[in-house]
Amino acid sequence: MRLQNKVALITGAGDGIGRGIAIRFAAEGAKVGVLDINEKKCHETADLIREKGGQAMPLVVDVCQPDQVQWAVETLVNKFGPINVAVNNAAVMPAGKVHETSLEDFERAVAVNLRGAFLVDREVIPIMLQQRSGSIIHMSSITGILGLPGIAIYSATKGALAALTRAMSTDYAAEGIRVNSVSPGTIDSPMLHNFVAAQRDQERIRRAFDEMHPVGRVGTIDEVANVFVFLASDEASFVTGANYTVDGGLSVKGEQPQD
Ligand SMILES: NC(=O)c1ccc[n+]([C@@H]2O[C@H](COP(=O)([O-])OP(=O)(O)OC[C@H]3O[C@@H](n4cnc5c(N)ncnc54)[C@H](O)[C@@H]3O)[C@@H](O)[C@H]2O)c1
């Protein structure tokens, strides 16, 4: 049990990778606050954890709203005690080049992906400062490092999260709070399924996602959750300011003409 006695808050835990992280954390002994804007899915994740004997509390919130985030943190602390781990995973991904992106989509992406993390961090840091320990993990993406086509605004928010991670790690290292980010490549998740479903030639696009990664396939939710468990645990006690790529080698792949 690598997260025994830890209280963890996970945003966007109603579905996809966030749900996978929440289930893994609970299996490792953490008491988990499941935050999501989708009421049904939020409760589903908490129920799945409880059915397996874990401890979870569903908290239906929009991470963009300061009063809702404040309420969720207070409610979680009252139920399970001081928060040790915060995972900022909730995100939206508007598609399109910059000139095709509406101001509304731009503002929503910045609000959920960046402002949401700021609002959560702002609430949990005073609690972690009191304990002189804590682990904050931002869900970045390989798109925050590489220039992938058609998702510029999403990519910008993910790059910002990696920069926020580096700056925050310096601010809080001496106080015992570690801040790291994780940058997955393409992961077999609802976000990928929705993206592929919106394409004309779905089979070809899905195959291209596999082939894009040097390991020859997209990643699994569990493969991402493994890294979050490590960063949340005391095994990562000397790890702060890092951005872990979990991308099957995509971000270091070079190209060379071959016969
Ligand atoms: N799927 C991938 O291939 C991939 C790759 C790299 C990074 N990521 C990142 O991983 C994270 C999870 O991705 P996913 O594929 O599981 O996405 P997903 O769309 O399946 O899940 C996102 C969750 O966030 C919730 N959410 C959205 N807006 C919210 C808000 N305002 N307040 C609270 N909850 C909100 C949604 O309801 C959903 O449950 C995201 O940060 C994404 O950018 C995903």
Side-chain angles (χ1 to χ4, degrees):
M1 291 278 208
R2 295 156 75 192
L3 302 179
Q4 192 80 53
N5 299 324
K6 292 205 189 286
V7 176
L9 172 161
I10 304 165
T11 70
D15 207 355
I17 302 173
R19 172 179 282 182
I21 294 169
I23 291 172
R24 276 298 305 282
F25 274 25
E28 293 288 352
K31 296 171 191 156
V32 179
V34 175
L35 276 67
D36 205 285
I37 197 169
N38 184 317
E39 184 175 355
K40 183 167 168 281
K41 287 184 171 290
C42 186
H43 283 269
E44 267 175 22
T45 300
D47 289 345
L48 282 168
I49 290 172
R50 291 188 194 123
E51 278 162 19
K52 289 182 183 156
Q55 296 191 66
M57 180 174 211
L59 294 156
V60 180
V61 292
D62 179 347
V63 293
C64 311
Q65 302 302 327
D67 50 342
Q68 294 183 27
V69 171
Q70 192 183 14
W71 166 81
V73 168
E74 275 172 20
T75 309
L76 187 61
V77 171
N78 287 339
K79 170 90 175 164
F80 288 144
I83 293 165
N84 309 106
V85 181
V87 172
N88 288 288
N89 164 80
V92 292
M93 185 174 76
K97 298 179 184 179
V98 163
H99 74 282
E100 298 160 343
T101 304
S102 69
L103 182 58
E104 195 186 11
D105 280 354
F106 170 85
E107 285 182 340
R108 185 70 188 160
V110 173
V112 178
N113 303 4
L114 187 56
R115 172 178 151 134
F118 161 71
L119 292 175
V120 168
D121 292 350
R122 201 175 61 151
E123 292 299 328
V124 300
I125 285 168
I127 298 166
M128 293 177 172
L129 284 173
Q130 270 193 354
Q131 303 170 87
R132 294 196 67 78
S133 77
S135 171
I136 293 174
I137 315 170
H138 294 133
M139 179 64 95
S140 185
S141 163
I142 212 65
T143 63
I145 300 170
L146 298 174
L148 296 184
I151 42 173
I153 302 311
Y154 171 79
S155 306
T157 64
K158 292 296 170 178
L161 282 169
L164 180 69
T165 299
R166 286 188 289 272
M168 282 177 63
S169 71
T170 309
D171 280 342
Y172 298 110
E175 330 266 6
I177 303 174
R178 298 183 293 103
V179 189
N180 294 289
S181 55
V182 177
S183 290
T186 311
I187 304 302
D188 196 354
S189 64
M191 197 178 253
L192 173 65
H193 302 164
N194 294 340
F195 184 86
V196 171
Q199 309 300 313
R200 269 197 306 269
D201 189 346
Q202 296 179 11
E203 262 181 43
R204 186 182 62 77
I205 292 287
R206 183 60 183 77
R207 219 175 26 250
F209 271 116
D210 283 333
E211 288 165 0
M212 177 171 92
H213 297 78
V215 298
R217 62 172 178 84
V218 300
T220 66
I221 288 175
D222 263 353
E223 286 172 320
V224 179
N226 287 339
V227 178
F228 277 80
V229 169
F230 167 67
L231 290 172
S233 77
D234 296 337
E235 294 163 25
S237 51
F238 199 52
V239 181
T240 193
N243 181 19
Y244 273 68
T245 53
V246 186
D247 67 353
L250 175 60
S251 55
V252 294
K253 180 171 87 169
E255 294 284 354
Q256 184 154 268
Q258 279 178 353
D259 261 346

